[in-house]
Amino acid sequence: MKILIASANPDKRAEMEQMLRGLPVELVSLADFPDAPEVQETGETFAQNAARKAVETALYSGLHAVADDSGLCVDVLDGAPGVESARYAGPRGTYRDVCKKLLRVMRYVPDGRRTARFECHIAFADPEGDVRLTARGVCEGTITRQMRGGRGFGYDPVFLYPPAGKTFAQMVPEEKNKLSHRARAIEEFRRKLEEFLHQEMA
Ligand code: IMP
């Protein structure tokens, strides 16, 4: 089965490809569809955004499509930045800007109340535009008081993963990709996709 990833990001495609290895699927990405319309992420939840991207991409291409949406949810901020994670420091804000803003907003929050989680939601739609599978992955951590580490992207330098005593930005990609919200969501998606393919081929 051919599956279109609703993203042109080569890293996302590589990660998905690696984690779906062995399944009878061929992955293509939006990089192969330069005229595809950009789907706006205007949903109120990660699940809504993932579903909308998967459905619109499937309808546009006539292929099965998979999409994800992810972000950081901080408990003391009632789940913010959440679906606004990419735009937290404005439309032109850099990764450094979003981290700096979060540290500033949280400067008076005591250590015990700095809990947060990364969430990733995945939706898989068929060519008729029906969502057939969903999956979710979560990674629990805390927000640091300073940026730490130079790897990764987004909020990685301020997200401490307590079992490792390191931020995501202090981990090599192989370490992060074993325990991240995205890895956990893709793992669940793989299990469900395997069952789905069995049923489709039966
Ligand atoms: P996307 O849905 O994967 O494009 O992620 C949206 C935004 O969430 C990104 O621009 C980042 O700010 C944040 N984000 C998602 N996943 C991660 C991660 O693994 N590390 C750091 N930031 C992330």
Side-chain angles (χ1 to χ4, degrees):
M1 178 185 289
K2 205 174 205 177
I3 299 178
L4 175 57
I5 305 178
S7 162
N9 180 333
D11 294 334
K12 280 197 179 176
R13 182 201 174 140
E15 189 179 12
M16 185 75 86
E17 209 146 51
Q18 192 201 333
M19 295 200 56
L20 297 186
R21 194 162 288 163
L23 296 186
V25 295
E26 180 197 343
L27 290 181
V28 287
S29 97
L30 274 186
D32 303 320
F33 291 79
D35 298 329
E38 198 185 327
V39 181
Q40 298 301 315
E41 296 187 351
T42 51
E44 283 173 18
T45 62
F46 300 121
Q48 279 173 11
N49 281 336
R52 181 171 305 159
K53 277 191 275 183
V55 167
E56 294 195 13
T57 304
L59 288 174
Y60 167 79
S61 63
L63 297 171
H64 286 82
V66 62
D68 73 349
D69 193 40
S70 60
L72 178 71
C73 301
V74 180
D75 290 324
V76 75
L77 304 179
D78 289 330
V83 289
E84 298 296 326
S85 290
R87 299 175 290 270
Y88 190 50
R92 282 188 230 289
T94 62
Y95 289 150
R96 200 178 159 77
D97 293 336
V98 293
C99 288
K100 275 167 66 181
K101 176 172 174 187
L102 186 62
L103 292 179
R104 181 164 36 82
V105 167
M106 291 184 65
R107 64 194 181 283
Y108 300 123
V109 177
D111 288 348
R113 298 183 62 216
R114 299 178 74 87
T115 50
R117 69 199 49 74
F118 274 122
E119 278 193 38
C120 175
H121 288 246
I122 292 179
F124 173 73
D126 63 24
E128 288 72 46
D130 291 319
V131 173
R132 303 294 297 271
L133 304 173
T134 60
R136 173 174 178 259
V138 173
C139 185
E140 303 280 347
T142 59
I143 302 302
T144 55
R145 292 192 172 277
Q146 282 140 23
M147 290 189 227
R148 277 197 236 161
R151 298 192 177 95
F153 70 100
Y155 297 87
D156 281 350
V158 297
F159 184 81
L160 183 84
Y161 181 66
K166 290 189 239 183
T167 67
F168 270 5
Q170 291 174 306
M171 293 181 182
V172 292
E174 297 73 42
E175 187 177 6
K176 180 185 165 187
N177 291 346
K178 273 192 200 125
L179 48 85
S180 78
H181 49 308
R182 204 174 348 270
R184 288 171 179 168
I186 301 177
E187 216 172 281
E188 185 185 330
F189 173 60
R190 183 193 163 102
R191 279 198 303 275
K192 292 183 170 177
L193 181 64
E194 219 164 346
E195 267 174 42
F196 176 83
L197 293 169
H198 264 297
Q199 284 163 8
E200 288 287 296
M201 290 179 202

